């Protein structure tokens, strides 16, 4: 394990693109990494005095297929299996350097690789990884419960160790997290069988009803307190459909009634202040459906808030990066 001071680690960011769109029903998210870069993501992070290394886009073109039996209800299983294996391996390598990975998607199936990588890394270090799932959907289906067979709707279930995609990683080590370390936030669309599974597993869900009643500050504060109490690290998996479609139209699975501009920024600002964030996904941006890059720009602005962009200076315990390992 690389020995690195907290102050050095807090300044280093590693960007990795994952142009994958087979996990969703609407194609086009493979253009997401390019759109986020074009909208100025790297430039903004560098302006925040962060040392950013852009590793470009991951490729699975030369990766051999495995021979395990594909589940009956898992669309494009073989292609997504290649991406999951590649992302898990590369994400783990990046995490071991001490840099903070930002994974640019791509549809939400990429989190099956990115989160596995981070969970494996922090397990090696001896700390628990928690996952904040900012998403209109729970994504807690399995091949046995899914209505669509689209694998971006199975990502959260897979990372919590649910059955049905057991061969997805091949020989790559699997590092599932306990369901009590998954925090669904902003949820407003859950399938019936998926809801039963979430209840059986006691997964925490802060749906839009809770946000309407208490605002975003109370439930985000609860999550922060929970992670801090267990000396955990937080992975933020940010699906742009967490936002209201009026604010972010460039997604293939829009659901009315999402987070407002200020609600979303407050979430990111509070996460920054917490000092617990160790990795990030930005997923489901579909430039083909966007309006002159509006969704990409909003997503970049929100990542800026997550990493310290603010109106006035405030006393905070960190600059959004988890303590060193």
């Amino acid at each position: 394990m690389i020995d690195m001071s907290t102050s050095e680690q807090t300044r280093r960011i590693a960007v990795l693109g994952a142009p994958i769109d087979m996990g969703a029903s609407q194609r086009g998210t493979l253009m997401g990494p390019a759109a986020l870069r074009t909208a100025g993501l790297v430039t903004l992070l560098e302006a925040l005095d962060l040392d950013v290394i852009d590793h470009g886009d991951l490729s699975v073109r030369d990766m051999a297929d495995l021979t395990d039996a594909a589940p009956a209800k898992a669309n494009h299983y073989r292609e997504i299996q290649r991406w999951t294996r590649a992302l898990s391996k590369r994400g783990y390598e990046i995490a071991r350097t001490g840099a903070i990975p930002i994974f640019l998607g791509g549809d939400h199936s990429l989190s099956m690789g990115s989160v596995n990588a981070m969970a494996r890394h922090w397990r090696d270090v001896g700390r628990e990884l928690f996952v904040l799932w900012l998403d209109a959907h729970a994504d807690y289906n399995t091949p046995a419960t899914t209505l669509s067979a689209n694998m971006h709707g199975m990502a959260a279930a897979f990372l919590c160790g649910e059955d049905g995609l057991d061969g997805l990683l091949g020989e790559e080590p699997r590092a599932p997290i306990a369901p009590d370390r998954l925090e669904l936030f902003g949820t407003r669309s859950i399938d019936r069988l998926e809801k039963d599974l979430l209840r059986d597993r006691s997964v925490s869900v802060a749906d839009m009803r809770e946000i309407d009643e208490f605002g975003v500050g109370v439930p985000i504060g609860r999550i922060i307190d929970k992670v801090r109490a267990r000396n955990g690290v937080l992975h933020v998996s940010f699906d742009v459909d967490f936002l209201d479609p009026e604010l972010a139209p460039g997604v293939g699975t829009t659901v009315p009634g999402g987070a407002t501009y200020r609600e979303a920024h407050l979430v990111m600002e509070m996460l920054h202040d917490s000092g617990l964030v160790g990795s990030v996904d930005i997923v489901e941006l579909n430039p083909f459906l966007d309006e002159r890059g509006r969704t990409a720009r909003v997503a970049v602005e929100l990542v800026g808030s997550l990493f310290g962009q603010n109106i006035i200076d405030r006393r905070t315990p960190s600059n959004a990066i988890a303590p060193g390992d």
Side-chain angles (χ1 to χ4, degrees), residues 294-310:
R294 181 154 65 102
T295 306
R297 290 195 300 272
V298 169
V300 167
E301 290 171 4
L302 289 169
V303 174
S305 290
L306 181 61
F307 284 92
Q309 188 175 39
N310 52 32

Side-chain angles (χ1 to χ4, degrees), residues 44 67-68 107 117 131 135 186-187 207 219 227 230 248-249 251 292 308 311:
L44 182 145
T67 58
D68 60 309
D107 69 65
V131 177
D135 197 324
T187 318
D207 63 4
V227 177
R230 289 166 60 170
V251 296
R292 302 174 67 87
I311 299 170

Side-chain angles (χ1 to χ4, degrees), residues 37-287:
R37 292 186 178 101
T38 301
L41 177 67
V42 172
T43 301
L44 182 145
L45 292 171
E46 290 174 337
L48 295 173
D49 198 27
L50 297 166
D51 180 11
V52 183
I53 300 175
D54 189 345
H55 293 271
D57 288 350
L58 194 64
S59 174
V60 297
R61 185 175 305 164
D62 299 324
M63 201 167 193
D65 283 341
L66 300 183
T67 58
D68 60 309
K73 295 182 69 177
N75 293 340
H76 305 290
Y77 174 81
R78 201 61 69 195
E79 295 94 330
I80 294 171
Q81 183 178 55
R82 290 200 298 266
W83 279 106
T84 303
R85 291 157 57 206
L87 275 163
S88 181
K89 182 176 187 296
R90 188 71 182 110
Y92 178 72
E93 292 169 350
I94 290 172
R96 284 176 56 84
T97 71
I100 302 305
I102 300 180
F103 301 93
L104 309 182
D107 69 65
H108 221 155
S109 65
L110 76 83
S111 296
M112 294 190 281
S114 65
V115 173
N116 189 74
M118 299 311 301
R120 181 184 170 200
H121 167 69
W122 289 108
R123 183 178 66 184
D124 290 349
V125 174
R127 297 177 67 183
E128 292 181 301
L129 182 74
F130 291 75
V131 177
L132 176 60
W133 203 259
L134 299 174
D135 197 324
H137 307 86
D139 294 340
Y140 210 88
N141 273 302
T142 69
T145 67
T146 181
L147 299 174
S148 69
N150 293 327
M151 289 184 66
H152 70 162
M154 306 181 196
F158 174 80
L159 65 90
C160 287
E162 298 291 347
D163 295 335
L165 298 173
D166 306 288
L168 193 63
L169 283 161
E171 296 300 316
E172 185 71 16
R174 188 174 182 182
I177 67 169
D180 75 335
R181 287 191 268 144
L182 173 66
E183 299 285 340
L184 304 182
F185 195 91
T187 318
R188 53 196 189 275
S189 177
I190 304 177
D191 297 333
R192 182 179 60 81
L193 294 178
E194 187 181 29
K195 184 183 296 186
D196 293 342
L197 193 54
L198 288 167
R199 183 177 58 249
D200 291 345
R201 301 295 187 265
S202 300
V203 173
S204 174
V205 182
D207 63 4
M208 289 307 297
R209 164 68 185 268
E210 181 173 343
I211 291 171
D212 287 342
E213 287 195 60
F214 301 105
V216 296
V218 171
I220 283 292
R222 173 188 57 77
I223 292 167
I224 289 169
D225 289 344
K226 177 180 176 179
V227 177
R228 182 177 288 125
R230 289 166 60 170
N231 191 33
V233 180
L234 192 59
H235 175 96
V236 178
S237 198
F238 169 41
D239 185 324
V240 294
D241 74 16
F242 165 66
L243 306 170
D244 191 84
E246 291 294 320
L247 175 62
V251 296
T253 51
T254 56
V255 182
T260 67
Y261 186 82
R262 271 310 313 159
E263 286 173 335
H265 273 285
L266 180 56
V267 167
M268 298 304 188
E269 290 159 2
M270 291 181 68
L271 293 173
H272 166 264
D273 293 351
S274 76
L276 296 171
V277 177
S279 48
V280 182
D281 299 326
I282 311 170
V283 301
E284 297 290 352
L285 171 63
N286 190 329

